Amino acid sequence: MSLDAVLAKIDENLPDATERLLNLLRIPSISTDPAFKRDCDDAADWLVADLRNLGADASKRVTTGHPMVVGHVDGDGPHLLFYGHYDVQPVDPLDLWDTPPFEPAIEDTDKGQVIRGRGSSDDKGQLMTFIEACRAWKEVHGSLPCKITFFFEGEEESGSPSLVPFMVENAKELTTDIALICDTGLFECTIPSIITMLRGLVAEEIIIKGPDRDLHSGMYGGVAMNPIRVLSKIITGLHDTTGRITLPGFYDAVPELEDEIRAQWQGLGFDHAKFLGDVGLSVPAGEQDRTPLEMIWSRPTCDVNGIWGGYAGDGFKTVLPAEAGAKISFRLVGQQDPDAIHAAFETYVRSCLPEDYTVEFPLGKGSKASQMSIDDPAFEKARKALSDEWPNPAAYVGCGGSIPIAGHFKDILGVDAMLIGFGKDDDQIHSPNEKYDMESFHKGTRSWARILEALST
């Protein structure tokens, strides 16, 4: 039987597939709130039962937090692992939802039909695209085209505290030829994409301490150094006038973009003026010799995420604060070492301190960037399969954010990850009224069927 028969079966199954997704969305599996622990268990049980209906050897695995779901299907050819997460974000503020978040429904909008409800895009809807592709494939062929491991997490939205220990303990069982992750989206809502690079992250907090108490600015102003002034100097000195980060050695492990990838990015027609204009801005602020897409996807950053010190309430208080602080993050690329970046940052901050002043670093933790090599033929097979399904050809893209699971697959299992998703920029994930386009659900399922065929041959 041909792939066409599988695609036709997906089209035929769409109403039932949608109803299955709605049933999963009705389970309020909010992982960060202990009040929903039972619901997370119920979501895991639901997935175990659904995988068993596919003929998978599936089970719920106990962790110190919410359970993992692991399922296996034997087959010939390559061994694929598919990862998704069944937990969802909290729904507050409830009064901003137009419909109850865990009473999902199909809605008609001016952009087409959508599935409305918490978790519809992030990540239950995306997770189910792969399961439904496997279901249709088995109904047509009687078996799946290759060996597949399903791996579903219940703590992605709450920091994944159990993930690394579980992966280390079960590394042999989870090691495959390649990992597939469906927790990303289409580029500018129209272009299917495979993410090949993810930025890492270093999260810093600094607390500058000076006098042993807040001081009256009339009595001490001028003679006592203000900790906010020290902090301001530190922050200002982190960038030069061209937007480059000034920490010594910061760019040593930052690679140049490959010509093939640069050409693909240029072909995307990214409109940075619209991108910035949508948030009331107009001028790119990063390294001035780089394109906006490079700034977002393949270049490191340093940003102040929060700052505090002194009096900020109503009215006025003429005070020199005893301390001031800031939260500062670095997005990393290439082979940048989080520990080395923290050490360079700490050395720089201490060099800026006047006598009598001290600094504390409560955080300083980070994760490395992830970069997948497209030299593996599987990537080009998947890109061509995606291109066959969508109006626009698929592209290799970067991602400005961090998806730690991709790095864990590489570091713990030695397995490259292929990140393919069908979310859209306006899906309102993590916000009220989250939705998943019916087109994304339908064509995403068809896309996975095409990719399964491509990777199994």
Side-chain angles (χ1 to χ4, degrees):
M1 295 182 183
S2 68
L3 173 65
D4 289 341
V6 177
L7 298 178
K9 179 61 68 174
I10 289 171
D11 298 343
E12 177 188 331
N13 286 352
L14 183 59
D16 289 340
T18 303
E19 187 57 38
R20 280 187 287 269
L21 173 56
L22 294 177
N23 287 336
L24 180 58
L25 292 174
R26 292 185 179 103
I27 304 173
S29 49
I30 302 172
S31 61
T32 193
D33 188 339
F36 294 89
K37 177 175 174 54
R38 177 59 184 269
D39 298 294
C40 290
D41 277 355
D42 288 346
D45 288 335
W46 191 98
L47 285 168
V48 168
D50 201 47
L51 290 177
R52 287 177 177 171
N53 285 336
L54 281 178
D57 179 11
S59 60
K60 182 172 69 174
R61 306 292 183 83
V62 175
T63 74
T64 55
H66 300 302
M68 305 286 178
V69 173
V70 179
H72 300 288
V73 175
D74 287 331
D76 298 325
H79 186 181
L80 310 179
L81 181 148
F82 179 82
Y83 165 88
H85 65 89
Y86 64 80
D87 64 317
V88 301
Q89 281 276 325
V91 297
D92 304 286
L94 266 174
D95 60 334
L96 295 184
W97 284 81
D98 295 331
T99 57
F102 295 111
E103 295 179 17
I106 308 300
E107 293 183 8
D108 291 316
T109 73
D110 57 1
K111 296 181 180 180
Q113 282 195 328
V114 303
I115 304 166
R116 186 79 66 184
R118 173 58 89 224
S120 55
S121 178
D122 185 20
D123 181 44
K124 292 178 179 178
Q126 306 245 51
L127 178 155
M128 289 300 292
T129 57
F130 187 82
I131 291 180
E132 294 299 341
C134 291
R135 193 187 319 275
W137 192 288
K138 185 171 183 185
E139 288 180 14
V140 170
H141 292 283
S143 62
L144 293 176
C146 59
K147 187 174 182 179
I148 297 175
T149 292
F150 301 88
F151 181 31
F152 302 144
E153 181 191 1
E155 298 178 330
E156 197 273 347
E157 301 290 11
S158 53
S160 299
S162 305
L163 180 62
V164 169
F166 184 85
M167 292 181 70
V168 170
E169 185 176 347
N170 297 277
K172 184 177 180 180
E173 179 184 4
L174 297 174
T175 298
T176 61
D177 295 315
I178 197 164
L180 307 172
I181 300 174
C182 193
D183 196 11
T184 55
L186 305 169
F187 177 73
E188 293 195 329
C189 298
T190 60
I191 299 174
S193 59
I194 300 175
I195 292 176
T196 61
M197 57 183 69
L198 296 159
R199 293 196 290 195
L201 179 68
V202 171
E204 299 280 2
E205 182 178 356
I206 56 173
I207 302 174
I208 307 297
K209 295 190 174 184
D212 59 9
R213 61 185 180 276
D214 289 353
L215 304 176
H216 189 290
S217 66
M219 297 292 292
Y220 286 91
V223 70
M225 175 63 74
N226 189 327
I228 296 178
R229 181 177 164 191
V230 177
L231 180 64
S232 300
K233 178 183 176 183
I234 290 169
I235 291 172
T236 301
L238 284 169
H239 295 85
D240 66 17
T241 57
T242 70
R244 284 179 64 86
I245 297 158
T246 59
L247 294 182
F250 185 79
Y251 291 95
D252 288 352
V254 176
E256 285 299 323
L257 198 61
E258 296 178 13
D259 290 341
E260 179 183 353
I261 298 297
R262 179 180 284 106
Q264 281 205 23
W265 290 4
Q266 290 172 344
L268 292 172
F270 177 61
D271 186 349
H272 76 267
K274 181 181 184 303
F275 179 76
L276 290 173
D278 287 344
V279 294
L281 301 174
S282 61
V283 181
E287 298 167 87
Q288 297 305 297
D289 60 341
R290 303 290 172 171
T291 67
L293 272 188
E294 286 182 89
M295 294 179 192
I296 299 169
W297 289 348
S298 67
R299 301 299 294 175
T301 68
C302 170
D303 286 295
V304 180
N305 306 118
I307 187 169
W308 55 268
Y311 179 73
D314 293 337
F316 206 86
K317 183 179 181 182
T318 54
V319 63
L320 270 67
E323 60 184 50
K327 294 181 184 292
I328 297 172
S329 63
F330 296 89
R331 295 284 180 175
L332 310 184
V333 301
Q335 299 301 312
Q336 286 182 296
D337 181 352
D339 293 336
I341 299 301
H342 169 72
F345 177 69
E346 181 173 343
T347 298
Y348 163 71
V349 170
R350 293 191 185 280
S351 74
C352 296
L353 294 180
E355 196 167 344
D356 298 330
Y357 286 69
T358 61
V359 62
E360 295 178 359
F361 296 87
L363 292 178
K365 296 181 179 180
S367 58
K368 293 181 179 180
S370 298
Q371 184 157 350
M372 282 61 75
S373 172
I374 60 174
D375 292 339
D376 184 337
F379 280 81
E380 188 59 20
K381 288 181 179 180
R383 192 189 70 81
K384 289 180 178 178
L386 279 170
S387 299
D388 289 341
E389 179 61 34
W390 295 82
N392 295 310
Y396 298 123
V397 304
C399 178
S402 304
I403 303 179
I405 181 66
H408 297 331
F409 280 130
K410 187 68 173 178
D411 295 340
I412 299 172
L413 306 180
V415 174
D416 275 330
M418 192 181 296
L419 295 101
I420 301 173
F422 310 101
K424 294 188 175 181
D425 297 340
D426 60 357
D427 278 351
Q428 297 172 256
I429 63 172
H430 296 198
S431 300
N433 300 312
E434 180 180 349
K435 59 88 176 170
Y436 194 40
D437 280 18
M438 184 60 75
E439 177 191 50
S440 292
F441 184 53
H442 185 199
K443 291 182 76 64
T445 303
R446 288 171 57 96
S447 296
W448 281 121
R450 291 182 183 273
I451 291 170
L452 281 173
E453 183 198 46
L455 296 185
S456 63
T457 57

